[in-house]
Amino acid sequence: MVWECRASMTGDEGPAAAERWKAARGPLAWPWLGARWAWAWARLMFRFLIGPRTDIVIVGYPGHVDVLLASLLTRRPVVLNALLSLHDTVVNDRKLLAERSLGARILHALDRLACRVADLVLLDTQAHIDYFRAEFGLPAERFYRVWVGSVREGRLVAPRASGTPHRALFVGTFIPLHGVGAILDAATRLEQSDTRVTVRLIGRGQELAAIAERIRQSRLSGVELVDSWIRGEDYERELAEADICLGIFGATAKAQRVIPSKVYDALAAGRPIITADTPAIRELLTHGQDAWLCPAHDGAALAEAILTLARDETLRGCLARGARRTYETRCSPEVIGRDVVARLEGLVREKGVIR
């Protein structure tokens, strides 16, 4: 049995919670945040203490702070689904804080402390585990790799009308890791090709304004920029209508260590995908079998990859079938669930938990 114990910091869920966070600005923002956090923790402690007895406690992402509370409330094994390093994401990847700033040092210390108090830390790739071990000086047995996976449903692909451009789809938050600049470099080259390809970019995020300005200045008529979040059936429809799905192409160190959710979504939908050839990607995918890999941050190589797939329907079909096969055998919710349950049962035995 799984029992969920949680308390919202804003009192809202979904879009309403996001709007409440956006409204927290000005001199009262930090006191407001502190009060909300304290009230949420008080409710969380109360619900946990009166709840059913557990064999193991799993702290979901983002839980780098909550895992500290969990470790104080129970003597049972505590598992942290870290997913990423806060310091690496904010400081190294997105460049939102200077490396030597106080905020950066606090995030680094929080990352290390969170991993030390947890009995087991879940990360998405072995490359990410290797980074955590080296950066925070922790043993290998403290970590376990769990694929991110996807819950997307594959939809039937409608036949493409004769003469219409091929569509390459990117959906994301436009952060440096995604390497959208390389996609725009590729789009510039595609404009000069006799093979018609539309590059469709959907999402919002850190680099959106700069991307929109570059598209405008370069007059990239083959690029469609959709400034909107997309989810659920709308996202699944976009995946089904794409001839090619695009992963990430960033030059950051973190881009070498992660497999983004968009890649798993394309696998689940059974769509041909192009993404950067990285150590993390090679843990799951094989070039030419279930994905088409190209060098990171290389617009010319990406354009060549897009044209290769656009011109070869047989190859796209092979990659699509391989993608779905990899999803079903390695990273579907059922496969991931069995793997995680087996590891958690092992952790309970290792810690000698007695019911």
Side-chain angles (χ1 to χ4, degrees):
M1 182 185 74
V2 176
W3 172 58
E4 184 178 21
C5 180
R6 64 193 303 270
S8 171
M9 285 184 62
T10 64
D12 302 306
E13 301 292 341
E19 291 304 316
R20 175 111 34 167
W21 279 110
K22 290 179 182 178
R25 297 290 187 271
L28 297 180
W30 284 107
W32 178 87
L33 176 62
R36 285 284 181 176
W37 205 315
W39 176 232
W41 267 27
R43 288 180 289 134
L44 194 62
M45 286 189 289
F46 177 75
R47 292 171 185 175
F48 183 83
L49 294 174
I50 66 171
R53 190 173 183 181
T54 61
D55 296 311
I56 197 164
V57 176
I58 303 173
V59 181
Y61 169 84
H64 293 67
V65 175
D66 291 336
V67 71
L68 307 180
L69 177 63
S71 67
L72 296 175
L73 292 178
T74 181
R75 294 185 179 180
R76 302 296 185 178
V78 175
V79 177
L80 171 64
N81 179 19
L83 186 63
L84 50 79
S85 157
L86 298 178
H87 177 271
D88 184 36
T89 299
V90 174
V91 179
N92 299 329
D93 193 64
R94 302 195 187 186
K95 309 294 184 183
L96 299 178
L97 289 176
E99 175 64 40
R100 297 182 180 276
S101 67
L102 176 61
R105 294 177 183 180
I106 290 174
L107 289 180
H108 192 279
L110 180 58
D111 277 337
R112 187 172 186 272
L113 180 60
C115 292
R116 287 182 66 87
V117 302
D119 295 285
L120 185 68
V121 179
L122 307 182
L123 290 169
D124 59 330
T125 67
Q126 184 60 47
H128 225 157
I129 290 174
D130 293 342
Y131 168 79
F132 268 68
R133 289 180 58 198
E135 185 70 16
F136 305 115
L138 296 168
E141 57 269 21
R142 183 65 58 87
F143 301 95
Y144 192 68
R145 184 186 70 181
V146 178
W147 304 123
V148 170
S150 173
V151 295
R152 301 295 166 198
E153 294 291 337
R155 288 174 172 262
L156 293 176
V157 181
R160 178 166 298 283
S162 177
T164 58
H166 294 84
R167 177 179 292 180
L169 174 69
F170 172 88
V171 178
T173 52
F174 301 124
I175 56 178
L177 176 145
H178 289 163
V180 179
I183 297 177
L184 296 183
D185 288 342
T188 301
R189 290 171 168 82
L190 293 175
E191 299 260 328
Q192 304 164 12
S193 170
D194 56 0
T195 300
R196 297 173 61 198
V197 179
T198 296
V199 177
R200 187 167 170 83
L201 309 176
I202 304 177
R204 291 176 176 171
Q206 182 179 348
E207 297 182 332
L208 176 61
I211 291 167
E213 180 62 18
R214 178 173 172 184
I215 293 171
R216 187 190 65 80
Q217 289 188 355
S218 301
R219 298 181 180 179
L220 296 176
S221 59
V223 177
E224 298 175 351
L225 178 60
V226 181
D227 177 7
S228 174
W229 297 119
I230 186 170
R231 51 178 68 87
E233 292 184 357
D234 291 336
Y235 183 22
E236 290 167 7
R237 189 180 307 109
E238 289 283 352
L239 289 169
E241 293 176 353
D243 296 287
I244 301 164
C245 290
L246 301 177
I248 61 172
F249 306 93
T252 67
K254 184 180 175 183
Q256 299 288 309
R257 298 192 292 265
V258 301
I259 304 175
S261 59
K262 64 178 91 314
V263 168
Y264 291 102
D265 292 338
L267 296 176
R271 308 307 298 139
I273 184 166
I274 301 173
T275 194
D277 189 353
T278 67
I281 284 291
R282 288 283 182 170
E283 293 180 33
L284 179 65
L285 304 179
T286 302
H287 175 68
Q289 295 185 16
D290 47 17
W292 199 261
L293 308 182
C294 67
H297 199 58
D298 188 332
L302 177 55
E304 181 180 351
I306 292 173
L307 289 174
T308 297
L309 267 61
R311 292 166 176 168
D312 194 334
E313 183 177 358
T314 300
L315 176 58
R316 295 200 307 273
C318 178
L319 292 176
R321 291 188 294 273
R324 182 65 191 184
R325 184 168 55 249
T326 294
Y327 171 75
E328 292 175 345
T329 59
R330 300 195 64 187
C331 51
S332 69
E334 294 77 15
V335 173
I336 294 173
R338 287 196 297 269
D339 178 50
V340 172
V341 167
R343 181 63 188 94
L344 296 183
E345 288 175 344
L347 180 63
V348 169
R349 290 192 298 270
E350 292 167 15
K351 297 300 180 179
V353 175
I354 301 176
R355 289 180 178 271

